[in-house]
Amino acid sequence: MSYSMEDTQNSAPESINASKLGAARKGNDGQNAAKRLQTELMQLMTSPAPGVSAFPSADGNLLSWKATIEGPDDTPYAGLTFKLSFEFPANYPYAPPTVLFITPIYHPNFDFSGRICLDILKDKWTAAYNIQTVLLSLQSLLGEPNNASPLNGEAAELWDKDPALFKTKVMDRHKDIEDDE
Amino acid sequence: MATAVASQWKNRRRRVFESVFQTDISQPTPYSTPAATFLGQNQPFGGPAASNDHHYHHTRGTAASSAAFFPLQQKQHHPHPEHGLFHETEPSVAHSPTTSSQSTILAESPPAQPRFPSLVNTADDQIAYDRAWHVVTARIALPASATADDSFGTLAPESQQTPRGSVADADFYEAMNCLVNAKTVLPRATHTEDIVSWHAQQVRAHFAQHVIPLWAVCVNDQAVAMWVNRDNGYERHMAIVMTSIRTLEAALRLYFYGLELLMRGFRRAEETSGSDKGTADAELVAVRFRRDIHALVSISASEELMRSVRFVMMRLVGTVLGIPSVDASNADTSQPDRPSPPTEDDVKAAAARQRLHQLVEQLHNVGLAGERFQVMFAEIMDQMMCDFVRGAYAGVWTASDRPIFSTTPNTISRSAISSSSSPCIISLADWVENHFSRLSYEVLSRTSPSMSSPVTLANVKTYQALALSRLAVLRIAELFDIVLAWPSSRGALDDLRATITTSARRLQLTTSFSRALQTRLLHPGCSTLEILQTYIAIIRTLHALDHSKVLLGHVEPNLRLYLCQREDAIRIVVIGLLASPEEVRAARKATEVAKRQEKSQREGVKEPSRRTRADRAPFMTPVMPGGSSRTPNTRRRKENTPESGPKSRPATPTSARPQVPTKLVELALLLNDPAQTRRAAPDEEDLDWNDMNWVPDPVDAGANYKRPKSEDVIGTLISALGSEDVFINEFTSIIAERLLGEPGRFDQELRVLDLLKRRFGEAALQNCDVMIKDVQDSRRLDAAIRRTRQQDGAEQRALSTPAGPPGRPRENESTSSAETQYHARILSRLFWPALEREHFLLPRPIVEQQKEYEQDYESLKSGRKLTWLNQLGQTRVELELRDRTVTVDCTTVEATVIYAFQDPDSSSDSDAVRRSADELYNELQMDEDLIAAALSFWASKGVLRRLQHGVYAVAETLTTDPTSAADQAGASASAEESEPQQDPLRKPTKPAVDAKEQERRAIYWQYIRSMLTNSSASMTLGQMAMMMKMMIADGFPWSNEELQEFLSEKIAEGQLEVTGVKYRLVKK
């Protein structure tokens, strides 16, 4: 935005050709994403949702975040804390972020390397979603897995058949990670 | 006394000299050894080899031991060198008793007994040669007396004693013949020597022994006199130079006399021998001798002498070139005369010129005009050029509208200087050509006559280029003052533009200017307003200097950096932009008045000086009022220079513009200047083949350089103030303030807004648009609501303007509630800067009005609700007191407070109503600070009286009885007391800031917690501060210390723990 303003400062309007405009828009994407993320961060801070939090990673790169989800009560995950990583594309929010569980988790919709099967992170993504909504969705997914499209078939089976075993597997798999030590 | 000291000193000096150099010259008999050993001076009579030989022969018969004789003779020679020399050939000369016997023996002894028979012929020839040698050397021997310089004028006494008759001459020439043609005449003489070398040698010795000491004495006499009389005057130096020259002239006459004799002998000898080959040799020898002597003189010239020569030259050259010497002018006036070239009929200059010519010729004749002199002359001329440029043009910035030359400039190189050049440059070029070069030519042609044209046209050009570069250096040094004096200093910029032609010089300009900025502007002593004003001047000056703005770009960074530290900079710029037309008019008038004054001053100066100007016709220093006149008119100068003289240029911007008001109205002026925004389409310009003023981009332009189209002061300034967001935020809040202030049409605001939109785009200033629209809408809405209420039957008159919410109300209210007129401004909360609500209870009539208004509004705009911001209103209050009526425009807070003093039952006229601050606090639920401020406000208006601490009463009458007088005093005292506690009135947002701060801290804590939860479980203070700065969109204003303090609080609350330098959250 500000770049194209500058152009109009120094040249007549007709001199701005299409390619210039296109270039200007492209160059702005990263900045827009950063701006948007800053705003989201501010929203997260001013109106935090219980049980979830997120913050840009320690290297100061706004396009890479870390998030924390506390396992909801009344689920096998109660009392556990899960860490996630968010990688935002430069054209965020027009494309979804890549979200991974860092903390090992046993769950029908998450595989062992932390990948997530969630439609809003794939084709159902819209720019109206934000970090907070993603985190809340994931949190609710912990309590209500979508067993129709499991990434972890065993977990999907156990969820219904043997909740006790499921709980054990969850506890076995989970281990707290200290990210910086 | 002085003379006694001097002569003593002289003697001592001579003794020292002799003891060191043993200046016993004249060994008339040549050495048998090669000439290389000829320099030995301490050898008696012919040198060791020859004398041994001779003494052997001479003394053998007398059985005197040569060993015994030798030392004795040697000893005797020292005290009486002039007598002991010629004992062999001239025994009749008086001898001192001790030596006479020896000499007699020598004289009586038969000429050279052959030592070995085979050597007889050889010895004869040798003896003949020796005799001839003695004849010649005796003739040309130099006198040894060195007591007075006049003795040099004559020949040595012995030479004189010899009759000048033909006999002596014949002897001499015969002897010369022998010497010159020794090979043919005396073929067997083995020891022959070159007589000219001998002469040169004796001259050297003589010079060293006698002339140099004398010379030193001359110089020292004067130096001592100068020291004694504390007088370093020109006359003294002149005396030194002249006596030195006279001494040298006398000595040289003597030396050349001998040479002349020898030359004559050569010629005779050649005539005799018939060969003409010798003539050329003789000439060559003579030339060489002359050159040797000159070299000798110039090498032995002492530092003192050269200093004097330099001084004398400086003075003379200065006079000729029209540069007043320092010591001449500093005596009488504080401001020295400006240099200006002398006119043709200037007697002093003409005399000086003549004197200079003489002096140079004399110096040349005595050999002092050698390389050393030329180097010195070059240095002098260089310094003169510097002095002239500095003296004539320093502070002369105003372009003269009158031609400088009243006569046609006779400048051949006129074309070299473009016709558009500034007056300074033209006059400087003229000076270089007609005075500087002329003088150089005159001097150089005298010192090196062999050179056909010592100063060529190319040299003149070089001189002019040099002078221009000096001018450039001067202007560069003055640039900061030039900027301060803008726009009256345009002339100086013309100079600069013409001289700043290389990138090195541009760099020099920017560096020097940056340094000046650093030391003179960017320090805490300058207010932000001054800095900004100077910045504007810099932008305009440098733009005038260099349209490409590259120079400006080089200078700016420091300034911008510094301005970022000035928090009020943006505010000042915005307020300046928003200056009302009245203020602009006033500023313009002030400028005009200043200009007129300056003009009239200048004319006032010109009037009296016109007289003097007429007679310094061909040259006129461009417009320096009072400065350029060479006619001393001290009184006038003194009168005028304080205002206009260059020396009076203020060192700081403050004094430079005393008339400038407290706002940056220049910006408002510039805003109305169409030239500021004019810009040509770049394509058009690039394609304009007919643009004769086109210049390529400057070489020092950066890679992304874009040619700017106009001066664009405002744009540059705004971009210098940091990010546009910051500027827009500031602009928005100022606009908000103004919109909430006095109702008006906001024309200026709209215009500025339009300008800024063009710069930043519509979107960025959308808030401002909405704000202005809010105000305009609320005016309409207000009218509509009032109409409704009138239809309702309520007779309400409207006068005042409350602002409404989602904004705020303003109420206008006086004693009778029924007649209160109530207006509101309805603001759209999202688009306005954060406005805090201040809680307090409005007077009941107002609350009723508010309610009605609210209902009306909600009926007009269904689904919307008003939130009242009571403290932002303005009120006109009419107070009916017992003996007077007071009408005051005040804030709603003040109005509410005074309303509380309203007599509950207006019938009782017994006692004035009194209230305490505490009562008011309970009643109004208003912030205590606000109450105190409002009470002080009313006390200062004379409406309330302070009775005791915190208790006020209405001053119903303005009686002068002692009690109330005391009360008055108390009231005013309380007003003063309240000063220090910061009138909350003036800072109504102060409590709000605290609330905001609280909120901010909460958010920051959230950030920190989240950061420690997600990013990294433990972080150092520095990391955290850095992350906060990066992550918070509005910036993170805390310093590390503040953050640390905040974290310490959290540690104290048990939320945070610190291990080493790292903070981490306490695990629950």
Side-chain angles (χ1 to χ4, degrees):
Chain A
M1 171 62 90
S2 60
Y3 283 157
S4 63
M5 291 328 304
E6 291 240 330
D7 279 340
T8 55
Q9 280 307 305
N10 291 308
S11 51
E14 62 266 26
S15 76
I16 304 175
N17 50 35
S19 71
K20 240 184 191 169
L21 280 178
R25 177 161 308 156
K26 200 170 179 187
N28 284 339
D29 273 352
Q31 219 182 3
N32 281 346
K35 219 166 197 169
R36 152 97 181 211
L37 288 167
Q38 257 186 345
T39 318
E40 283 195 28
L41 179 60
M42 185 56 110
Q43 278 169 4
L44 277 171
M45 296 304 119
T46 48
S47 51
V52 300
S53 73
F55 207 80
S57 59
D59 59 0
N61 178 9
L62 264 175
L63 295 180
S64 156
W65 287 43
K66 293 274 159 45
T68 310
I69 298 180
E70 287 167 20
D73 298 338
D74 313 325
T75 69
Y77 306 98
L80 301 180
T81 307
F82 298 95
K83 298 253 177 203
L84 296 96
S85 77
F86 279 66
E87 298 292 334
F88 296 92
N91 57 348
Y92 181 82
Y94 301 107
T98 311
V99 186
L100 287 177
F101 273 90
I102 304 174
T103 313
I105 184 168
Y106 187 79
H107 186 276
N109 297 115
F110 311 144
D111 74 5
F112 285 129
S113 48
R115 280 184 292 242
I116 297 166
C117 176
L118 183 62
D119 52 357
I120 64 163
L121 290 176
K122 305 268 158 54
D123 49 331
K124 292 279 171 55
W125 172 263
T126 78
Y129 289 119
N130 59 33
I131 299 168
Q132 195 159 14
T133 55
V134 169
L135 286 174
L136 291 175
S137 303
L138 288 172
Q139 197 182 25
S140 70
L141 203 58
L142 289 180
E144 303 157 16
N146 178 4
N147 286 329
S149 59
L151 275 181
N152 183 341
E154 183 199 58
E157 249 169 67
L158 283 182
W159 175 268
D160 291 325
K161 291 182 183 159
D162 190 350
L165 183 57
F166 186 90
K167 170 81 179 169
T168 326
K169 295 236 176 196
V170 166
M171 297 313 284
D172 281 351
R173 177 119 183 87
H174 182 268
K175 69 172 186 277
D176 270 325
I177 51 158
E178 284 299 331
D179 49 354
D180 60 340
E181 270 128 0
Chain B
M1 179 69 172
T3 29
V5 171
S7 66
Q8 258 182 11
W9 199 76
K10 204 189 308 179
N11 285 334
R12 191 177 311 158
R13 189 182 160 112
R14 191 164 55 230
R15 274 205 299 281
V16 170
F17 188 87
E18 283 168 0
S19 73
V20 172
F21 288 107
Q22 306 263 325
T23 51
D24 187 6
I25 51 154
S26 298
Q27 290 87 33
T29 303
Y31 296 128
S32 57
T33 47
T37 62
F38 202 77
L39 286 174
Q41 290 197 331
N42 198 13
Q43 292 149 354
F45 196 51
S51 59
N52 271 339
D53 207 78
H54 283 270
H55 290 304
Y56 192 70
H57 298 289
H58 296 168
T59 57
R60 151 177 283 205
T62 63
S65 138
S66 68
F69 166 70
F70 210 6
L72 180 61
Q73 194 195 28
Q74 215 171 1
K75 226 179 265 165
Q76 298 306 332
H77 271 251
H78 284 284
H80 308 287
E82 66 273 43
H83 299 304
L85 295 177
F86 310 108
H87 47 274
E88 198 172 12
T89 49
E90 299 188 88
S92 62
V93 172
H95 293 282
S96 63
T98 43
T99 53
S100 61
S101 61
Q102 302 287 355
S103 302
T104 311
I105 290 165
L106 291 178
E108 282 167 0
S109 64
Q113 292 287 339
R115 193 179 171 190
F116 304 107
S118 61
L119 289 178
V120 167
N121 283 342
T122 313
D124 283 348
D125 275 3
Q126 186 63 51
I127 289 163
Y129 184 85
D130 287 351
R131 282 184 185 281
W133 180 261
H134 280 297
V135 169
V136 172
T137 50
R139 187 69 190 276
I140 61 173
L142 293 168
S145 75
T147 46
D149 48 348
D150 50 36
S151 71
F152 288 124
T154 58
L155 278 176
E158 281 162 301
S159 310
Q160 273 181 332
Q161 277 169 4
T162 317
R164 289 239 172 169
S166 56
V167 183
D169 274 355
D171 283 352
F172 174 74
Y173 292 128
E174 196 181 327
M176 273 303 285
N177 192 24
C178 290
L179 294 185
V180 171
N181 300 319
K183 283 216 174 82
T184 49
V185 180
L186 302 168
R188 280 178 298 259
T190 48
H191 305 300
T192 61
E193 201 45 78
D194 180 4
I195 185 67
V196 176
S197 303
W198 181 85
H199 184 53
Q201 179 61 25
Q202 81 156 356
V203 162
R204 256 169 232 266
H206 183 267
F207 190 80
Q209 189 185 9
H210 301 304
V211 179
I212 291 182
L214 230 145
W215 207 359
V217 167
C218 298
V219 173
N220 284 315
D221 277 353
Q222 295 294 341
V224 167
M226 256 192 269
W227 173 249
V228 169
N229 300 339
R230 313 247 168 222
D231 167 21
N232 198 26
Y234 163 73
E235 284 73 21
R236 292 284 180 192
H237 286 293
M238 196 57 165
I240 290 176
V241 174
M242 289 324 288
T243 47
S244 303
I245 289 178
R246 265 199 299 279
T247 310
L248 282 174
E249 275 175 344
L252 291 188
R253 240 190 338 269
L254 198 59
Y255 302 155
F256 285 118
Y257 175 75
L259 182 70
E260 186 51 35
L261 275 180
L262 288 180
M263 288 299 116
R264 234 179 277 160
F266 271 118
R267 276 193 289 276
R268 288 288 182 86
E270 279 148 21
E271 280 163 24
T272 331
S273 66
S275 89
D276 57 8
K277 151 189 171 283
T279 319
D281 284 350
E283 290 306 317
L284 201 66
V285 164
V287 166
R288 198 178 297 146
F289 178 76
R290 187 176 293 272
R291 205 183 53 210
D292 283 356
I293 294 294
H294 281 175
L296 181 65
V297 169
S298 80
I299 282 171
S300 25
S302 65
E303 284 305 318
E304 288 84 10
L305 175 67
M306 290 319 275
R307 207 179 304 138
S308 292
V309 171
R310 176 186 288 268
F311 188 90
V312 170
M313 289 287 293
M314 291 272 275
R315 173 63 68 86
L316 290 175
V317 169
T319 315
V320 172
L321 294 181
I323 300 160
S325 64
V326 182
D327 63 329
S329 52
N330 63 8
D332 47 351
T333 58
S334 54
Q335 192 197 9
D337 282 339
R338 278 184 178 274
S340 70
T343 54
E344 291 302 327
D345 48 357
D346 188 331
V347 184
K348 253 172 86 182
R353 184 183 293 275
Q354 213 175 351
R355 188 77 198 81
L356 182 65
H357 293 173
Q358 254 177 21
L359 182 68
V360 171
E361 273 164 18
Q362 283 175 322
L363 287 173
H364 178 64
N365 285 339
V366 298
L368 278 175
E371 248 174 56
R372 215 165 144 195
F373 173 81
Q374 290 183 7
V375 168
M376 189 184 77
F377 180 67
E379 285 168 7
I380 291 175
M381 290 305 268
D382 175 70
Q383 194 180 341
M384 284 297 150
M385 190 182 272
C386 288
D387 287 353
F388 183 81
V389 169
R390 198 177 309 122
Y393 302 113
V396 183
W397 302 328
T398 324
S400 172
D401 41 4
R402 305 168 55 182
I404 303 186
F405 302 98
S406 47
T407 61
T408 321
N410 45 350
T411 318
I412 40 168
S413 59
R414 191 71 207 280
S415 57
I417 311 295
S418 102
S419 55
S420 62
S421 288
S422 76
C424 284
I425 289 180
I426 294 174
S427 73
L428 182 60
D430 176 63
W431 178 80
V432 167
E433 183 166 328
N434 292 328
H435 295 86
F436 189 86
S437 305
R438 177 181 162 192
L439 187 70
S440 308
Y441 179 85
E442 286 168 353
V443 170
L444 290 183
S445 61
R446 279 173 174 79
T447 55
S448 39
S450 55
M451 217 190 292
S452 59
S453 168
V455 178
T456 61
L457 187 56
N459 290 136
V460 175
K461 297 255 156 115
T462 314
Y463 295 155
Q464 281 173 342
L466 285 174
L468 281 192
S469 66
R470 301 265 144 79
L471 186 63
V473 169
L474 172 75
R475 289 288 183 250
I476 287 174
E478 286 181 330
L479 188 56
F480 190 76
D481 293 306
I482 292 175
V483 165
L484 291 187
W486 173 268
S488 61
S489 53
R490 275 174 197 271
L493 294 179
D494 292 340
D495 295 345
L496 259 185
R497 206 180 8 256
T499 47
I500 302 290
T501 44
T502 64
S503 53
R505 189 145 282 155
R506 289 165 72 97
L507 185 66
Q508 188 193 353
L509 180 135
T510 48
T511 5
S512 132
F513 188 64
S514 297
R515 213 177 307 123
L517 275 185
Q518 215 65 37
T519 52
R520 295 184 58 181
L521 187 67
L522 305 181
H523 56 76
C526 287
S527 76
T528 311
L529 183 66
E530 284 161 5
I531 293 178
L532 286 171
Q533 278 166 341
T534 315
Y535 192 15
I536 294 177
I538 291 172
I539 295 172
R540 310 200 68 173
T541 312
L542 291 186
H543 183 259
L545 185 60
D546 168 31
H547 286 278
S548 68
K549 277 198 175 172
V550 172
L551 287 183
L552 184 62
H554 288 197
V555 172
E556 262 178 337
N558 280 340
L559 194 54
R560 290 184 177 202
L561 259 171
Y562 188 81
L563 272 180
C564 288
Q565 299 168 22
R566 297 287 183 123
E567 288 176 1
D568 51 346
I570 296 178
R571 176 159 280 258
I572 288 179
V573 169
V574 175
I575 292 179
L577 280 174
L578 292 171
S580 70
E582 293 78 46
E583 285 164 329
V584 173
R585 262 196 296 280
R588 206 178 271 159
K589 209 179 281 173
T591 321
E592 268 161 27
V593 166
K595 232 181 250 171
R596 244 200 315 278
Q597 276 173 353
E598 198 178 318
K599 210 172 179 187
S600 66
Q601 266 171 24
R602 203 178 303 153
E603 266 154 17
V605 172
K606 268 180 190 164
E607 280 313 321
S609 67
R610 194 154 288 157
R611 178 171 38 84
T612 61
R613 223 165 248 198
D615 52 283
R616 67 193 146 87
F619 185 90
M620 206 170 291
T621 321
V623 186
M624 196 52 231
S628 60
S629 163
R630 293 177 63 241
T631 318
N633 187 341
T634 319
R635 195 182 61 83
R636 174 165 55 80
R637 227 180 353 244
K638 271 187 184 147
E639 274 170 13
N640 292 313
T641 43
E643 299 89 4
S644 48
K647 297 281 187 258
S648 70
R649 282 292 162 208
T652 70
T654 332
S655 38
R657 9 174 101 81
Q659 81 279 9
V660 164
T662 51
K663 280 190 185 178
L664 207 58
V665 285
E666 289 95 330
L667 284 179
L669 280 172
L670 290 172
L671 197 57
N672 299 325
D673 182 357
Q676 286 294 314
T677 46
R678 173 174 40 85
R679 56 178 79 103
D683 291 343
E684 257 171 56
E685 189 180 90
D686 287 345
L687 293 175
D688 186 4
W689 301 101
N690 291 324
D691 183 3
M692 286 302 146
N693 292 321
W694 182 88
V695 282
D697 289 346
V699 281
D700 44 355
N704 295 324
Y705 175 73
K706 226 175 220 164
R707 176 178 295 267
K709 298 307 170 288
S710 68
E711 212 174 6
D712 193 18
V713 173
I714 298 174
T716 318
L717 202 55
I718 289 176
S719 61
L721 292 173
S723 80
E724 45 186 73
D725 287 351
V726 180
F727 183 82
I728 289 171
N729 283 347
E730 188 70 31
F731 180 75
T732 313
S733 67
I734 289 173
I735 281 274
E737 247 168 57
R738 291 171 77 107
L739 291 177
L740 293 178
E742 289 298 312
R745 300 211 36 196
F746 306 116
D747 286 339
Q748 182 72 8
E749 283 80 354
L750 282 172
R751 207 172 38 233
V752 177
L753 190 58
D754 279 346
L755 175 103
L756 293 180
K757 271 186 202 161
R758 239 180 299 161
R759 185 169 302 282
F760 298 127
E762 295 270 348
L765 290 159
Q766 190 194 14
N767 284 5
C768 296
D769 271 343
V770 174
M771 281 156 60
I772 289 181
K773 192 156 169 295
D774 273 350
V775 172
Q776 285 164 343
D777 284 353
S778 19
R779 204 174 292 150
R780 242 175 294 129
L781 200 66
D782 195 56
I785 290 176
R786 222 170 330 129
R787 255 196 315 277
T788 332
R789 290 164 80 186
Q790 277 166 359
Q791 283 162 7
D792 289 352
E795 179 87 11
Q796 311 256 359
R797 231 177 299 134
L799 251 185
S800 66
T801 31
R808 83 215 40 153
R810 186 52 30 74
E811 110 262 23
N812 195 358
E813 183 257 331
S814 72
T815 40
S816 127
S817 57
E819 307 206 347
T820 310
Q821 300 134 6
Y822 189 85
H823 302 265
R825 286 189 198 151
I826 292 100
L827 314 180
S828 317
R829 179 174 64 87
L830 283 176
F831 296 89
W832 287 70
L835 297 163
E836 284 302 311
R837 258 187 97 181
E838 188 70 42
H839 174 77
F840 62 93
L841 299 183
L842 288 171
R844 193 165 323 112
I846 303 299
V847 175
E848 283 162 14
Q849 293 250 346
Q850 233 177 27
K851 280 211 183 94
E852 279 175 40
Y853 200 100
E854 214 170 311
Q855 282 163 11
D856 290 341
Y857 177 81
E858 278 162 21
S859 68
L860 274 178
K861 306 244 174 188
S862 55
R864 294 212 197 168
K865 226 177 147 293
L866 288 180
T867 309
W868 298 95
L869 295 175
N870 290 334
Q871 84 280 15
L872 287 170
Q874 275 161 349
T875 322
R876 170 165 298 164
V877 181
E878 254 181 64
L879 300 169
E880 286 174 10
L881 300 170
R882 202 168 293 162
D883 61 346
R884 67 197 192 278
T885 306
V886 179
T887 308
V888 181
D889 284 324
C890 60
T891 66
T892 40
V893 174
E894 286 154 356
T896 308
V897 169
I898 198 65
Y899 188 84
F901 281 86
Q902 193 170 11
D903 211 338
D905 51 325
S906 48
S907 57
S908 86
D909 55 357
S910 54
D911 262 343
V913 182
R914 52 178 67 195
R915 291 295 177 100
S916 73
D918 287 343
E919 283 168 33
L920 290 173
Y921 178 69
N922 291 330
E923 198 170 309
L924 302 177
Q925 301 178 10
M926 192 188 279
D927 189 272
E928 281 162 307
D929 289 344
L930 291 181
I931 293 178
L935 288 173
S936 316
F937 171 79
W938 289 114
S940 73
K941 295 275 177 200
V943 175
L944 294 182
R945 277 180 202 150
R946 183 169 179 264
L947 298 181
Q948 63 212 46
H949 182 72
V951 181
Y952 288 80
V954 178
E956 288 284 359
T957 55
L958 280 180
T959 49
T960 51
D961 68 66
T963 337
S964 58
D967 286 349
Q968 288 284 22
S972 60
S974 86
E976 278 160 30
E977 273 167 29
S978 73
E979 271 311 291
Q981 24 166 298
Q982 282 279 344
D983 242 5
L985 259 193
R986 304 281 156 250
K987 315 197 91 196
T989 53
K990 179 88 161 119
V993 165
D994 285 341
K996 251 185 173 171
E997 182 68 23
Q998 243 359 82
E999 196 182 318
R1000 196 153 65 164
R1001 289 164 75 92
I1003 290 182
Y1004 287 169
W1005 172 238
Q1006 189 63 39
Y1007 265 92
I1008 291 168
R1009 227 175 40 174
S1010 198
M1011 184 159 59
L1012 291 175
T1013 310
N1014 295 299
S1015 304
S1016 178
S1018 60
M1019 296 177 85
T1020 62
L1021 181 73
Q1023 283 173 327
M1024 285 162 93
M1026 197 188 68
M1027 285 291 273
M1028 299 288 275
K1029 283 199 173 88
M1030 239 179 322
M1031 295 309 157
I1032 299 179
D1034 301 337
F1036 180 64
W1038 285 1
S1039 67
N1040 281 6
E1041 288 71 31
E1042 282 170 301
L1043 180 61
Q1044 190 170 20
E1045 200 178 312
F1046 180 71
L1047 294 177
S1048 307
E1049 281 172 32
K1050 290 299 172 189
I1051 291 171
E1053 287 171 21
Q1055 311 220 43
L1056 211 58
E1057 61 188 8
V1058 61
T1059 51
V1061 292
K1062 291 196 163 187
Y1063 293 86
R1064 54 162 63 236
L1065 290 174
V1066 173
K1067 288 225 171 77
K1068 286 160 198 153

